[in-house]
Amino acid sequence: MHTAFFLLLGASLARYLLRHPWEFRSPWIIGLSAALAVLYTVGPVFGPRATPRRLLWLFTVVAVWVVLVVLAPSFAWCAVPLLYTGLRALPTRAAIALVTLLTLFVVAAQLQLADGGFDPNLVLAPPSVAAVATAVFVHAERLAERRRALIDDLVRTRRELAATERREGTLAERQRLSMEIHDTLAQSLSSQQMLLQAADRTWDTDPSTARGHVRTAESIAERSLAEARRFVHDLAPADLAEGGSLPQALRTLAARETTATLTVRFHLDGPDVPLPQPAQSALLRIAQGALANVREHADASTATLTLTVLDDQVVLDVADDGRGFDPGAARPGAARAEGPRGHGLPAIRARTDQLGGTLTIESAPGEGTVLSAAIPLEAGS
């Protein structure tokens, strides 16, 4: 549009100079043409919005053009770029008024230039073209405004979705950390407390047993420190991070959980093949949580970890000969058998669900408990 304006301005000035002899108004026409070119060039400095400075500039440009058209009707066609400039800078009603004014001057100039009498096309064509151009421009602006509003809504919706995802991610991470802490650090601290309390009770009567409890508590504390460091780096459980397989980690866990009152055994049913890391981490945490429940609530003397590796899934069974409980009390939403401080069964269920597995609990008061977690190998990968 800017290029068209300068081409029309130059063509109008050339037409005037070629068709008219030099006369008193010629310097004025040349000077006004130069002034109009300069004014149009500095227009972008005032920006596209209808500010007072922008409106003053537009009024000055139109006034100079009107004087030029009065002096030389050849400059009438410069109104086309001015028409679009006014439509962009002014509100719709003010822009239509400006378009009407420009069109009237164009019609008057064409009639003045016409040789041979009145021509209806000169009266009808400019208003028709101006009306069509104005209608198309206004319609395009309305569509653009709707697109801008739609884009703003999409951007706002995307920001809201991103904020929601961040909140959900934060809640999921909190749940994950709570399960990790419960299955490792909290259980280790509970074991240390029990061992130190036992050492305190037998310190005077059986010093060697008391020192054994203290050494065991020291070993558990060392293990807890390793787990805490793994949390900081967001790595796998310490037993797995050291390069061992899941059966090795479960065997180590069984030996570590064996005490004077509780014997924990491990049995592998199937080949010792590499398993997906998510499945290994989840099953090791499930075993830790289940043994914590056995130690704190079951009053059992024996517990058995059984890892069964099949073609399409891996199953971990944790069985004990304790006092058992009512599994219905451990359903999601029901009162937990672990009491208000427990997160064991809900955490185990959440870990199993995250990998698309199933959790089965078979127990009854006085008959022990069997907890079975099955995880598909495809989901675990």
Side-chain angles (χ1 to χ4, degrees), residues 65-211:
W65 173 82
V66 168
V67 174
L68 268 175
V69 172
V70 172
L71 295 177
S74 303
F75 290 87
W77 289 112
C78 294
V80 176
L82 295 180
L83 180 146
Y84 283 102
T85 302
L87 288 174
R88 286 196 302 269
L90 297 175
T92 303
R93 292 184 179 180
I96 292 176
L98 177 63
V99 169
T100 303
L101 175 65
L102 295 176
T103 304
L104 291 176
F105 272 90
V106 170
V107 171
Q110 294 303 307
L111 292 176
Q112 186 176 352
L113 291 174
D115 295 329
F118 177 77
D119 187 350
N121 287 333
L122 298 180
V123 178
L124 298 177
S128 300
V129 173
V132 172
T134 302
V136 170
F137 183 87
V138 171
H139 181 66
E141 282 293 304
R142 289 176 178 175
L143 291 179
E145 184 63 28
R146 293 175 184 174
R147 284 195 297 269
R148 284 192 293 268
L150 179 60
I151 291 173
D152 292 340
D153 290 340
L154 291 176
V155 171
R156 182 169 57 253
T157 302
R158 186 173 63 180
R159 290 174 179 172
E160 293 174 354
L161 288 175
T164 301
E165 291 177 356
R166 284 195 297 270
R167 287 194 297 268
E168 291 178 352
T170 301
L171 293 176
E173 183 65 11
R174 288 179 178 177
Q175 182 181 9
R176 185 188 72 83
L177 288 176
S178 67
M179 292 189 300
E180 294 284 344
I181 293 172
H182 173 270
D183 291 343
T184 55
L185 299 180
Q187 295 172 9
S188 298
L189 291 173
S190 177
S191 299
Q192 294 174 49
Q193 181 184 25
M194 294 172 60
L195 289 168
L196 292 176
Q197 289 174 349
D200 181 64
R201 288 193 299 269
T202 60
W203 191 266
D204 295 329
T205 59
D206 192 354
S208 60
T209 302
R211 284 192 291 271

Side-chain angles (χ1 to χ4, degrees), residues 22 105 124 130 137 180 183 251 274 294 324 354 369-370:
W22 186 265
F105 272 90
L124 298 177
F137 183 87
E180 294 284 344
D183 291 343
R251 192 174 288 109
V294 171
Q354 286 174 357
T369 301
V370 178

